[in-house]
Every structure is written in structure tokens, then in C-alpha cells.
Amino acid sequence: MASIWFPSAAARARGGPHNGVIWQRRNAVPHGRCSYNWEFSPKRASFGSPTSLNSVVRATSPISLRQSRPMAVVSGKAQVLEGREFPYMFRSERGDLVKVVVVGAVGMNFAVHIEVLSVSQDEFVLIYEMSRSDPQRSLVADIEKGIGAVIMPFTRNSSGRYTLDLEFDSAKAPLYLSFILHLCSDAGVVGSGIRTHRKTRFCVPVGLGPGYPAPLGASVSDDGMVNFSLFSRNAESVVLCLYEGKAEVPCLEIELDPYVNRTGDIWHVSMESIEDYVSYGYRCKGPVDKRRGFDRQHVLLDPYAKMVRNLISVRGDTMTPTKCLGSLDMEPIFDWSGDVHPRLPMEKLVVYRLNVGQFTIDNSSGLPEDVAGTFGGVSEKVQHFKELGVNAILLEPIFPFDINKGPYFPYHFFSVMDKYGQEHNAASAINSLKEMIKMLHSQGIEVLMEVVFTHSAEGGDANSRVISFRGIDSSSYYFVDKNVGSGTGRLLKCNNPIVQQLIIDSLRHWVVEFHVDGFCFVNSSLMARGQNGDHLSRPPLMEAIAFDPVLARTKIVADCWSPLDMSYMEIQFPHWKTWAEMNMRFCSDVRNFLRGEGLLSDLATRLCGSGDLFSSRGPAFSFNFVTKNSGLPLVDLVSFSNAELASELSWNCGYEGPTNNNTVLETRLKQIRNFLFVLFVSLGVPVLNMGDECGYSTSGSPMYGDRKPINWDSLGTGFSKQITNFIAYLGSLRIRRGDIFQSKHFRKVENIVWFGSNQSEPKWDDPTHKFLALALKSKKSFDVLNSNCGDLFICFNASNNLETVVLPGQSEGNVWLRLVDTSLAFPGFFSNSSDPNVQKAEGFSSYELKPHSCALFEATLD
């Protein structure tokens, strides 16, 4: 039996709670309203049969409520309060139309106007309760148990509609008003209650708006409300959880009504204010056949959150789900005034790949503790980039990632890893990244990002699987077929429309909000898979990226390396003359040739821009590399070559590992110079890897996890000085002879002459032939005023034997200048054409090229 107090007029005037005051009897009841005799009595009410309401029942609802003054209804709209109006229309199980209008705004009380257009002349009362979620238990049972339901009578107006007006204290919002209708007579309440046509209670939010399906994530809508929007096709229910301060449990949970807060597959709700809350997440519950991934007890990170709060590693560096929440803090305002994208043509790029943390975290960087290992640390080393001559940096993934697995296993695609900010929080990381990008732009350096959209860090364990996608809608986001390939359970369906939208929205976010200049898509071969795992000739995602207007001026690069199994899965890429590629074949063929096992035809193809791969695009779409962050670094590539490293195509130059043998060390040094030389004289974009310029080593381990921070003290060694200077020299040579090395187009056959050993025709497919030379005809006019633009002659000797080279003939008055010979001692192994000590040679003269060496000559006026 229930205990509810009914307030009198005096109580309504005071606006206080229902503290035992009595509602007096009204004898005059207009328009047929039920007459009640409200007098104090200890009698209890029972429901289900006509019942006398000559009883006093206690209100246990914790939320202050009073009946408002009657609203004037004009054309069916409540006009008593100024504020936002949210109308809801229901049909009862009998066919009655029930209209509910919620009006109010921040700082105002909320008015609720209820109208019933009845199919009969019956009189009604309202039985309702207020809650912070949408409860499914019986209101009648609540009243009988004294759990907080309240009874209110309707007034019948002149048009025959039953109306009721309520007013709620705005401080108590948001809340849900849940009610059923009961027939009544002079004797009291009759029957078991009238519900909606779905056999559920009527339920409307107060202090909440129905929200909007777009944009996804948390945003401020045009009407000034904070909108929350989440995709989940298979969830049966979604609860928005809001947190205060450092609370580990939600302070407010809002259960979304699928009939009010859902449009298609998007769940949404809006709030007047979120000033009391600092973070948010969702609980999702799905059907039994979709339970693989649904886990209502955990609060999930919004995939579209722009900042992630409390992304902290605990218990063996594994993140707990409750620590991954979307932050409700305002994104920091940043002044982009004066920032200009360098907009460098692709063919003019020289790229330097780095890991933000490992780049400067070592004490040898000489940076303050709060700057080392952050975006600010990268900014502090801008002079190093300029000394190397690079004009673009490629950041390893900076999304929040699994600490154990590394940056190629992200949790989220819209936020920045907190630890890369100086204060190790989201706002600091965002500001630091923007400051770094703006500063690098001011130095003419572009910023490219490696991104991983094909898989996530989520696994099958209880902690990782509820971070985001799996708990929200696993079957929509992930492949669940075990036959699809390795990593099933965390492979994303990139060409599912909702995942495609997620990726496009993420890319736009980084371009618009962070002024990023381009992206390198790791594991990009999986982006060409359809929803059933089959290869697509025109993947919708890749085509959408190619033609997206926001991404139109960014560099788009595909990288087929998979961090899931450390392998490459090359495919024939659809490109739409937009997609460039990390050229793995360049890496393999150059490594093979320089260790003496490759074909001359393969080297020639790579030198000329990899026409077998990029004939329909141009050589500038080939991003060439000889080392990268997975596999052996440059020093180890010439120092280790055991059976376990067979896939690395390395050569130890005669001794495995560290040695003091001068002959071995000299060969290794020549090989390092050779790799850099081939990289820079080949058509395409040269990509350097962090640390190769200073002798970085992993002691022969190709595993990414064995990478360590670089030691900045090593830049002072003789090795590092000569390699750094050589890289800078090669970069300046590319610029000076851009007509040959920075061409957008492939070289014409008539402008190249090839030579094998002893000036013979090259034996292209004979693996025993290890010498190749080529003469390149200049595209520039050659005269006294432009004397440094003559033909070039380049030769490569990968054999163990000295090779006698005959230089091509020159017209009278012209000579060859030897600019590079990788076999010579530093600093004489490279020279500028203006150097008075540069070696000159006549046409048809002989030049001895030592084993495992490369040389470059330039024709000039004597």
C-alpha cells in the first residue's frame, strides 16, 4: 500500500515539498472534472478496483515538484514559459492521443503540459514518478510499495481535452517523467491503468532534448544545447553516463528511449548544461545473438570523443575500461593566425619518420623533463631537421594506444596520446601538437601523420574489449569471421559505411583542427577489403578519401606493412592519381643489389621511379625507403645477416655483429653511404628513418618493440657528422639538379644511356653481373651562365672487384667533375661543383671504382 502526500494550495504557494499538508475539497468542478473529497484519513488506497481516495499517501520521490499555474493553450501549444519546447505525441493502447510538451531552459523551471484527446468521455488521473533513468517496473507496484509515484487529476477543458500542467525545479533536471493514465469515477481510481500502444508507460525527458543524430559525438547544437550522438545498430538500449570530478562511477545515467532518442541506427540526446560534469561514456546492451561485444556493466568510450580523459595504464600497463572516457572539457582555443601550409609539391619532399616519444625522451636530448618525449621536444629539434635538409616529418601514430603493444594499436581515432603533451593531459597534448605544427610550418616543414584504421588495440580479454567499438556494436565495426585473417576480432570493416564515415570524419578532424598536411595509411591493403573480407577493385573508402574536398590538398600515402604480423601484403592499388605508396619493392631491390644478389634490371627500375608500379601516376607517388621503424636500422642492416634475418635482405660485410676489424668497418661505412646515395639519386620521394643519421642500433633485432630512444650524444661522433653532412649534401644536390632528381614525370628513353661492365650492354637478368652505370642528359640549357646543369654520369659497383669505368665523351671545353665517390675517406667522398679541389676528368678517360662503391660525375665547362 502506498504512502503519498497530496499538497494543498498553501504548499503549492510555498513551493516546498509535500510535508503532510492537505488538499481541500473543491465543490465546484468545471467541465465534468472528477470531484474528490480531500480530507485527512488514515485509510490506504488499493488499486485495480474502484477505490476511495479519502487517504493520505506519502511521496517518497526525492525531487521537488509542484503543480504549476494552468497553462494557456493556444493552437495546442503551451505558452506559459519562454524557453525551448519539446513536443511528444503518443497513442494509448485504447487509441487515445496523448500529447506532452516540455518547455524550459537553463535558469528556468521546466513546465510540462499534458493533453489527452480521449476516445471516450471517461475521466482520468495521472500516476507518475520521476527518475534519472527510464525504469521499466510497474508504477502501480511502485505506489503500492511506496517507491515514489504521485497521483494528479486532469482538468477537462471546453474542447473536451483533458489537460494537466506540472512544473519542475530546473536544479533537479535532467530527469524522466514516467506515467500511466487511470480511469476514475466519484468512487476513485478504476482499472489497472492505460499505457501506450506498445504496452509501455508514457515516458518523456525533462531537462533533456531528444537530440540530433548528427554530428556524431558530443557537440554544441545550433539551439545551444549539448548534443550526444552514438552509432549502434544492434544495441537494444543505450545509457549515457556522466561523471563528476574524479569519480569512478557515473553521477548521472540517462537511459535513452529508442522511440524518442533514436533515429535509424543513431542514438542521441541533448542537455541544457553539462557544467557539473567532466567526462562521459555509454553503456550498451544488445540482443543475445549479438552479445559478443555487448557488456552493459562497463562504461564505453565514445569513438567520436575529441579528448579522452584519464587514459591511464594500471595493472601491468593494461588500461581499465572506466579510465577511458570522453572529456567534456572545452577544447583549448588556439591561435592559428599566420599559419600557412607549405604546400610542397610531392616530388620536392624529403621525409623524416620519427616516434614522438623516443625522439627526445633520452636525457641526452638536453631538454627539460616536461618537454622531453613530447611534441614540444620535436619543436626544440627543428634545427636538426634543417641541418639534414628534410622538409617533411612523418609522425608515427599519435592516437591513444596500448602501452604494451605500441602506437600501431590505437584505442581511438580523434584524440591525441596524453603523454605527448607537456602536462600529460588531453588539453596539453592538443595545444602542444598545434604549436609544433605551426612552428614547423613557419620553417617550411610539412607534418604528415601515420594513421592506423584497419584494426584497434581491442582484444578478447575483459579489459580491452570494452574500451570502445566492441562494446558498442562489435558486428558492425569488426570482422567476426575467423577466416578473414590474422587479428580477427579487432580488424575493422573499413568499407562498412559507418566505419568509412568514422575514418573520413577522423581525417577531416586532423586536417581542419590541426592543419595536418597529409597521412600515411598503415596496413592499407586491408582497407581494400569488403565487408566479407574479399578484395575490392574499387574500395569505397579509398575512393572517398581520394575525392574528399577537405582532404583534396593533403598528401595521401598507402603503406602495406601490417603491424599485426610484421608482414607486407602488396596489392594492386586503385589510386585515382591521388594515392601515393610506400615503395617496399624499392627497399627490397636496393638491399638485394647492394649485397650483391640482385638483378641490374631491378635496380634500374627503382632508379627511374618504379615505372612498373607508378606508370599511370608518376615517380613522385613512390615514397622510397631503405629502412623504416620496423626491421633493421641502417647500421644493423650492414652488420647482421644471420638465418633469422633472412627476410631483412641484409649483409654483415663479412662479420656478424660488432667488430674492430678495419676492413669490415670500412665496407660497412661504404654500404651505409651507398644506401643513402641510391635513395637520393632515385626518382621518387626519399624517406629517412629516425636515428639512422647517428648510428642507431637495435643490436640486430628487427622487432619494433626493441626500438629505444635515440642518443643525441652520438650526433657528436665522427660517424654521425659525416653521415649527417652527406644527407644534407644529397638533399641540396636534389634541389640543385631538380631537373633530373625531382621530376614529376618519368625520364624519356632517349635521355638515358645504360652501361654494363667494360662499356658493354648491361646483362639485365644475369645475377652474376653487379655493375651498372647510366648517363643522364640534362633537361636544362647548358651555357656559360648555367654551367652547373650539365649531364650526369652515375655508376654502381656491388661486386667484390675493382671496376674500371670509361667516362662518356664530352664536347670540346667540357669536363667531368667527380662529385661523389662513396669509397673515399671523409670529407673527400663528396664535393660541391664549386669546390676548387674537386677532381676533374676528361671525356673517355678511365676511372677506377672500388668494390662496393658508387660514384657520380657532373659535366661542366672547363
Side-chain angles (χ1 to χ4, degrees):
M1 302 295 289
S3 297
I4 301 179
W5 287 108
F6 291 97
S8 68
R12 296 198 304 275
R14 291 196 301 270
H18 323 304
N19 293 324
V21 292
I22 307 301
W23 225 3
Q24 302 298 325
R25 176 178 178 177
R26 310 294 189 191
N27 291 324
V29 182
H31 305 298
R33 173 181 170 183
C34 285
S35 175
Y36 294 93
N37 183 22
W38 301 102
E39 296 179 356
F40 185 85
S41 170
K43 294 180 180 180
R44 301 294 181 91
S46 62
F47 295 86
S49 59
T51 307
S52 171
L53 291 183
N54 294 336
S55 62
V56 177
V57 202
R58 187 177 305 276
T60 58
S61 172
I63 301 175
S64 175
L65 166 83
R66 66 179 185 273
Q67 189 178 26
S68 70
R69 61 188 180 277
M71 289 184 168
V73 178
V74 180
S75 300
K77 293 187 178 180
Q79 302 291 331
V80 68
L81 290 178
E82 295 181 1
R84 296 185 182 88
E85 181 178 294
F86 298 105
Y88 304 90
M89 183 68 77
F90 301 89
R91 183 177 297 277
S92 78
E93 57 189 329
R94 302 192 324 165
D96 311 296
L97 291 180
V98 179
K99 181 178 182 181
V100 183
V101 180
V102 180
V103 184
V106 174
M108 302 172 56
N109 286 346
F110 288 93
V112 179
H113 177 76
I114 304 173
E115 290 184 5
V116 179
L117 181 58
S118 179
V119 296
S120 67
Q121 298 298 312
D122 299 318
E123 303 295 330
F124 296 97
V125 294
L126 184 81
I127 302 178
Y128 75 91
E129 73 171 355
M130 299 155 292
S131 65
R132 287 294 178 91
S133 63
D134 182 8
Q136 298 302 311
R137 59 186 184 271
S138 167
L139 275 178
V140 174
D142 287 351
I143 293 176
E144 292 177 342
K145 296 176 182 178
I147 308 180
V150 181
I151 301 177
M152 284 289 181
F154 279 88
T155 299
R156 188 175 183 185
N157 61 24
S158 57
S159 63
R161 298 187 178 188
Y162 295 88
T163 64
L164 177 63
D165 299 309
L166 305 172
E167 187 174 330
F168 296 86
D169 186 348
S170 63
K172 302 299 182 179
L175 56 92
Y176 277 95
L177 173 65
S178 185
F179 64 88
I180 58 176
L181 305 175
H182 258 278
L183 300 177
C184 68
S185 65
D186 290 341
V189 174
V190 179
S192 59
I194 302 171
R195 292 166 175 78
T196 70
H197 71 285
R198 306 189 308 267
K199 309 299 183 182
T200 62
R201 289 181 296 171
F202 302 90
C203 185
V204 295
V206 177
L208 298 170
Y212 308 97
L216 290 167
S219 60
V220 179
S221 56
D222 292 341
D223 58 10
M225 298 188 75
V226 180
N227 190 69
F228 295 88
S229 180
L230 177 77
F231 166 87
S232 183
R233 174 170 299 148
N234 294 303
E236 291 178 335
S237 65
V238 172
V239 178
L240 173 65
C241 303
L242 299 169
Y243 291 75
E244 295 177 349
K246 297 182 179 180
E248 294 189 2
V249 295
C251 298
L252 173 63
E253 296 192 38
I254 302 171
E255 185 165 353
L256 307 189
D257 187 331
Y259 293 91
V260 174
N261 303 109
R262 182 172 184 174
T263 302
D265 298 325
I266 309 297
W267 300 76
H268 44 79
V269 66
S270 58
M271 296 178 62
E272 291 279 351
S273 173
I274 56 170
E275 61 182 14
D276 294 333
Y277 308 104
V278 297
S279 54
Y280 74 102
Y282 295 95
R283 299 185 197 273
C284 296
K285 180 181 179 181
V288 174
D289 61 336
K290 302 289 184 182
R291 279 195 69 80
R292 225 183 128 187
F294 288 107
D295 190 341
R296 184 167 180 144
Q297 71 180 31
H298 290 99
V299 179
L300 309 171
L301 174 64
D302 180 2
Y304 274 80
K306 302 306 184 293
M307 294 193 293
V308 177
R309 189 177 183 85
N310 293 332
L311 199 56
I312 299 173
S313 300
V314 296
R315 290 189 300 199
D317 285 337
T318 300
M319 282 184 289
T320 57
T322 55
K323 295 297 182 182
C324 301
L325 299 171
S327 174
L328 291 173
D329 294 336
M330 293 293 292
E331 290 187 58
I333 297 174
F334 187 78
D335 181 11
W336 283 107
S337 60
D339 180 63
V340 179
H341 288 269
R343 305 289 188 203
L344 299 172
M346 196 108 78
E347 65 273 11
K348 296 186 182 299
L349 293 180
V350 177
V351 180
Y352 184 93
R353 186 203 310 264
L354 64 85
N355 176 286
V356 173
Q358 294 183 350
F359 188 57
T360 61
I361 193 65
D362 193 82
N363 291 335
S364 61
S365 68
L367 300 176
E369 186 176 349
D370 63 335
V371 177
T374 68
F375 296 119
V378 177
S379 299
E380 292 292 330
K381 297 299 182 180
V382 66
Q383 188 59 34
H384 182 63
F385 303 138
K386 295 178 73 66
E387 290 173 356
L388 285 173
V390 301
N391 54 22
I393 63 170
L394 175 59
L395 303 177
E396 289 186 15
I398 58 174
F399 300 158
F401 59 83
D402 186 306
I403 297 296
N404 289 331
K405 298 175 183 177
Y408 293 95
F409 293 86
Y411 281 107
H412 203 248
F413 300 144
F414 286 85
S415 54
V416 185
M417 188 69 173
D418 285 1
K419 74 172 187 176
Y420 292 155
Q422 291 180 226
E423 298 175 12
H424 290 193
N425 60 44
S428 171
I430 289 173
N431 259 335
S432 296
L433 176 58
K434 291 180 177 179
E435 289 169 356
M436 182 200 78
I437 292 174
K438 185 176 181 180
M439 191 278 297
L440 291 173
H441 282 177
S442 71
Q443 300 297 315
I445 299 174
E446 294 194 345
V447 178
L448 314 179
M449 286 174 51
E450 282 191 328
V451 289
V452 183
F453 291 118
T454 56
H455 61 274
S456 76
E458 293 187 281
D461 61 283
N463 284 330
S464 65
R465 75 167 184 260
V466 295
I467 298 298
S468 184
F469 305 114
R470 185 179 299 278
I472 291 172
D473 196 335
S474 181
S475 62
S476 291
Y477 282 107
Y478 288 119
F479 287 107
V480 295
D481 183 357
K482 294 183 179 181
N483 296 319
V484 169
S486 62
T488 297
R490 61 187 177 203
L491 292 184
L492 288 163
K493 294 180 177 178
C494 293
N495 289 293
N496 180 313
I498 190 62
V499 181
Q500 176 180 323
Q501 180 187 349
L502 174 82
I503 294 171
I504 294 292
D505 289 344
S506 172
L507 296 172
R508 290 173 174 172
H509 172 70
W510 293 104
V511 171
V512 173
E513 298 297 329
F514 292 88
H515 293 202
V516 168
D517 301 289
F519 303 94
C520 179
F521 295 81
V522 175
N523 207 9
S524 52
S525 56
L526 290 185
M527 294 171 61
R529 285 189 176 184
Q531 296 191 50
N532 297 319
D534 51 321
H535 178 75
L536 304 176
S537 59
R538 294 190 62 156
L541 172 62
M542 301 183 76
E543 186 169 7
I545 291 173
F547 293 103
D548 188 87
V550 178
L551 308 178
R553 302 187 69 181
T554 61
K555 276 80 175 177
I556 304 298
V557 187
D559 186 351
C560 290
W561 174 67
S562 171
L564 295 172
D565 54 11
M566 307 295 286
S567 67
Y568 282 86
M569 186 188 299
E570 289 188 276
I571 63 171
Q572 185 173 358
F573 257 99
H575 54 79
W576 298 277
K577 294 187 177 182
T578 299
W579 282 84
E581 295 179 45
M582 284 288 173
N583 192 345
M584 182 59 194
R585 290 197 201 175
F586 179 94
C587 176
S588 300
D589 290 343
V590 172
R591 287 187 181 189
N592 255 333
F593 176 80
L594 290 180
R595 70 175 182 162
E597 297 184 15
L599 298 176
L600 298 183
S601 58
D602 291 336
L603 177 64
T605 301
R606 303 309 153 213
L607 290 170
C608 293
S610 298
D612 58 335
L613 301 175
F614 301 98
S615 60
S616 60
R617 283 174 277 184
F621 288 87
S622 174
F623 276 56
N624 301 330
F625 66 95
V626 291
T627 62
K628 61 183 305 184
N629 48 2
S630 63
L632 294 175
L634 189 55
V635 164
D636 291 355
L637 189 62
V638 300
S639 304
F640 298 89
S641 56
N642 55 62
E644 295 179 355
L645 297 174
S647 63
E648 291 294 313
L649 307 179
S650 58
W651 177 47
N652 63 17
C653 301
Y655 187 87
E656 186 72 6
T659 182
N660 292 321
N661 186 302
N662 286 333
T663 301
V664 173
L665 292 176
E666 288 176 3
T667 304
R668 288 177 179 178
L669 182 57
K670 285 192 295 183
Q671 286 290 82
I672 289 173
R673 295 171 177 175
N674 292 338
F675 276 114
L676 294 171
F677 179 76
V678 175
L679 180 65
F680 275 81
V681 300
S682 299
L683 277 180
V685 177
V687 181
L688 298 165
N689 200 56
M690 177 187 81
D692 281 347
E693 72 275 23
C694 59
Y696 179 86
S697 172
T698 60
S699 300
S701 172
M703 303 305 295
Y704 179 85
D706 290 332
R707 297 269 165 160
K708 299 179 178 62
I710 64 172
N711 185 344
W712 287 86
D713 290 339
S714 63
L715 284 173
T717 64
F719 170 86
S720 181
K721 287 180 180 178
Q722 66 166 288
I723 296 302
T724 298
N725 289 343
F726 189 41
I727 291 172
Y729 169 80
L730 292 171
S732 65
L733 177 65
R734 280 180 63 89
I735 295 173
R736 184 173 66 82
R737 295 310 309 267
D739 61 313
I740 290 179
F741 298 126
Q742 294 182 337
S743 175
K744 293 176 61 175
H745 308 290
F746 291 102
R747 297 178 179 125
K748 294 181 179 179
V749 174
E750 58 267 28
N751 291 332
I752 308 176
V753 181
W754 297 97
F755 303 94
S757 296
N758 302 317
Q759 299 298 103
S760 64
E761 187 75 17
K763 299 294 190 280
W764 294 114
D765 297 319
D766 187 343
T768 64
H769 284 250
K770 302 176 183 179
F771 174 83
L772 182 67
L774 68 158
L776 298 172
K777 295 182 180 180
S778 175
K779 294 182 179 180
K780 295 185 178 180
S781 59
F782 187 55
D783 52 38
V784 175
L785 297 178
N786 198 21
S787 60
N788 292 327
C789 297
D791 295 346
L792 297 180
F793 181 68
I794 309 173
C795 42
F796 310 88
N797 183 14
S799 73
N800 295 320
N801 304 313
L802 183 145
E803 187 77 27
T804 299
V805 181
V806 177
L807 300 178
Q810 285 288 313
S811 58
E812 186 177 353
N814 296 338
V815 296
W816 289 105
L817 301 181
R818 188 200 67 205
L819 300 185
V820 176
D821 185 337
T822 61
S823 68
L824 301 179
F826 176 73
F829 75 91
F830 61 92
S831 305
N832 290 309
S833 57
S834 59
D835 188 341
N837 297 319
V838 66
Q839 180 175 330
K840 299 180 181 180
E842 300 289 338
F844 299 113
S845 62
S846 297
Y847 184 85
E848 291 187 345
L849 186 63
K850 295 181 180 180
H852 304 291
S853 300
C854 302
L856 181 146
F857 299 84
E858 183 177 39
T860 188
L861 295 174
D862 189 3

